[in-house]
Amino acid sequence: MTYTRKDTDDRKTVEGILDGLAVKTIEKLKQKGAFSELIGVLKEGKESVIILVTDNNDKKLILKVFKITASNFKNMQKYIKGDRRFAKTKPTKRAIVYTWCRKEYANLLRLYDVGVSAPKPHAFLDNMLVMDYIGDEGIAPQLKDTKIENPKEMLEKIIQQYELIYKKADMVHGDLSQYNILVFEGEPIIIDVGQGVLKEQPNADEFLLRDIKNLCAYFRKLGVECEDEYVKKRITD
Ligand SMILES: Nc1ncnc2c1ncn2[C@@H]1O[C@H](COP(=O)(O)OP(=O)(O)OP(=O)(O)O)[C@@H](O)[C@H]1O
Ligand SMILES: [Mg+2]
């Protein structure tokens, strides 16, 4: 398979942004069969790097690398504390980032198991997570960069996805916004679920309400009627 310059940001090579330890982690993931080839960096954010990789059938996958030093680990602790799944995490930066990665993997799996449209997780190790690539020739755009033909219908689809997240996976996303929803073939795909908490967690309600406020504020700007309380009822009742 060949990749055009459009596939990757050719100013940034993978080698240029990963340290020696990261290179070792990548080698281990390859040995485990999680993927076979690094293609290039697709996006680099404050806290993570999104890398295009392929498996041994040349299928595209995403390798998400969580940065250790740049991580806002104080904020991460808020979403780890109180989660029975991660109670044993040590309070060091590295341990918290590793847990964060494992948490995004576990959350993606929970969502995948109940049929939420989200990338299927394949593997994780330390601060690296391998998951499905959303897109075809080009990467699927974020909701904020998508011209939506029928915003009301799109909002409805997102509410339905959130209902599955809440009622079937017993979770709250915690960072839902027009940045963390991709649009592929007209359907919303939910991503970036590291903040996701179980709905039994004490602050789950606060996070749910914030997600709904973000969602409604965005769709109201697109001219769609969206009332926070109504959406909350739809998701939780
Ligand atoms: N599985 C995927 N398929 C296609 N694109 C993806 C995938 N995962 C992430 N992306 C792209 O990379 C961007 C950043 O990923 P994500 O939201 O998971 O990380 P982030 O934690 O927000 O990173 P940062 O805080 O560093 O910006 C997404 O908005 C999306 O454009
Ligand atoms: Mg994001």
Side-chain angles (χ1 to χ4, degrees):
M1 193 186 281
T2 55
Y3 291 93
T4 62
R5 280 182 153 216
K6 255 175 64 192
D7 282 331
T8 58
D9 181 344
D10 55 332
R11 286 165 302 160
K12 293 235 169 69
T13 60
V14 175
E15 290 73 20
I17 54 166
L18 300 177
D19 62 15
L21 189 57
V23 171
K24 279 195 187 134
T25 309
I26 284 180
E27 277 315 310
K28 284 189 200 154
L29 274 168
K30 279 187 177 176
Q31 273 163 20
K32 282 200 337 179
F35 67 91
S36 59
E37 221 186 312
L38 285 171
I39 306 300
V41 177
L42 290 176
K43 306 223 171 185
E44 186 177 358
K46 270 196 320 294
E47 300 192 355
S48 72
V49 187
I50 301 294
I51 298 170
L52 182 65
V53 300
T54 51
D55 70 8
N56 49 18
N57 294 317
D58 251 2
K59 187 178 162 243
K60 291 179 183 177
L61 295 170
I62 289 292
L63 174 70
K64 182 172 181 177
V65 179
F66 296 87
K67 295 181 180 175
I68 309 276
T69 46
S71 69
N72 183 353
F73 73 109
K74 287 235 163 64
N75 188 47
M76 286 176 168
Q77 273 175 316
K78 220 169 86 185
Y79 296 85
I80 292 172
K81 257 194 206 146
D83 191 318
R84 59 184 157 82
R85 298 174 297 173
F86 309 104
K88 284 186 186 147
T89 304
K90 282 191 207 147
T92 67
K93 207 166 191 171
R94 183 169 288 275
I96 287 167
V97 176
Y98 284 11
T99 292
W100 191 257
C101 177
R102 185 159 65 89
K103 184 162 178 270
E104 177 152 11
Y105 176 89
N107 286 345
L108 279 175
L109 201 60
R110 257 182 114 92
L111 299 188
Y112 183 79
D113 282 347
V114 300
V116 175
S117 297
K120 178 183 176 185
H122 291 258
F124 72 92
L125 184 63
D126 298 344
N127 59 327
M128 301 192 188
L129 169 60
V130 181
M131 66 181 119
D132 272 353
Y133 161 85
I134 310 297
D136 37 39
E137 284 304 302
I139 189 168
Q142 296 170 347
L143 177 64
K144 75 166 178 64
D145 295 323
T146 312
K147 171 113 191 56
I148 313 164
E149 268 170 36
N150 188 338
K152 194 169 170 211
E153 191 182 79
M154 179 57 78
L155 173 62
E156 184 57 35
K157 285 177 176 175
I158 295 169
I159 292 173
Q160 281 169 13
Q161 290 300 319
Y162 214 130
E163 266 193 270
L164 281 177
I165 294 174
Y166 193 83
K167 291 180 182 149
K168 294 274 194 296
D170 293 327
M171 272 177 57
V172 162
H173 184 287
D175 192 22
L176 195 77
S177 73
Q178 58 274 29
Y179 298 88
N180 287 334
I181 300 172
L182 304 182
V183 180
F184 184 58
E185 295 174 338
E187 301 298 323
I189 315 286
I190 311 294
I191 63 159
D192 204 2
V193 302
Q195 297 81 358
V197 300
L198 300 178
K199 68 184 182 197
E200 65 182 28
Q201 206 155 318
N203 34 18
D205 255 8
E206 175 201 330
F207 297 154
L208 173 66
L209 214 59
R210 193 179 57 198
D211 284 350
I212 292 171
K213 277 190 195 310
N214 285 342
L215 190 67
C216 277
Y218 186 71
F219 277 91
R220 276 198 296 271
K221 276 199 290 186
L222 299 180
V224 182
E225 208 180 300
C226 192
E227 216 231 309
D228 299 352
E229 266 313 306
Y230 165 77
V231 175
K232 188 175 178 200
K233 268 207 161 59
R234 282 282 311 279
I235 291 172
T236 59
D237 280 1

